Amino acid sequence: MTSTYQLPDLPYDYSALKPAVSAQLLELHHAKHHAAYVKGANEALDQLASAREADEYSEIGRLAKLLAFNVSGHVLHSLFWTCMSPNGGEPPTGGLQQAIESDFGSFDRLKKQMNASIAQLQGSGWAALAWEPVARRLIIEQVYDHQSNVGQGTDLVLVIDGWEHAYYLDYLNDKAAWTEAFWSVADWKSAATRFESLAK
Ligand code: MN
């Protein structure tokens, strides 16, 4: 059993994001859901290694999807924890603020587009603010599951989890209340650090 992928510790306590995210929800989300993607990603690598060893490739489509789904789930959740902070909620400043105004018109329009991306998900997915390196600009992606409906080569700057497990315990079916709560703890300082390294 490989342990290539490992569950990261949260950069804050489970109760640190209250009332936006309850301690029970945050613990379930991190210790159960995120942990399951880490386990699944390692298992996918193991099963691919076994397939090569056995010279048996009939399940390669299923295993490729298993790997993409679980690795992407791990990557997104690892980033998601750093997109929130007990000290968050302050709007972006500096170069990131300028890029948002240039690429979306205003911070308010970015938030509305991300809110709509979450609200209009059919099933499970994410809204991602991403750096698109060909046009050298920010775009918003509506991610299906963890790994679909994204352009190749983009880099994540800030992500919002729109899966039911991300909010149902605290907000029931009120997904809009969850996105509003997310903005109240959104950590634009960590997003700005990623943006600066991508856009330089
Ligand atoms: Mn999640």
Side-chain angles (χ1 to χ4, degrees), residues 80-117:
F80 178 56
W81 309 131
T82 73
C83 291
M84 300 182 289
S85 164
N87 306 313
E90 293 297 316
T93 56
L96 178 55
Q97 178 194 20
Q98 288 168 15
I100 287 169
E101 285 170 5
S102 163
D103 294 337
F104 300 99
S106 69
F107 179 50
D108 193 51
R109 287 181 180 177
L110 172 145
K111 284 201 291 186
K112 283 183 175 169
Q113 188 177 336
M114 289 193 77
N115 290 346
S117 300

Side-chain angles (χ1 to χ4, degrees), residues 29 33-34 37 73 77 80-81 126 146 161-163 165-166:
H29 200 171
H33 291 280
H34 186 173
Y37 301 129
H77 283 90
F80 178 56
W81 309 131
W126 297 69
H146 298 140
D161 193 337
W163 283 57
H165 72 226

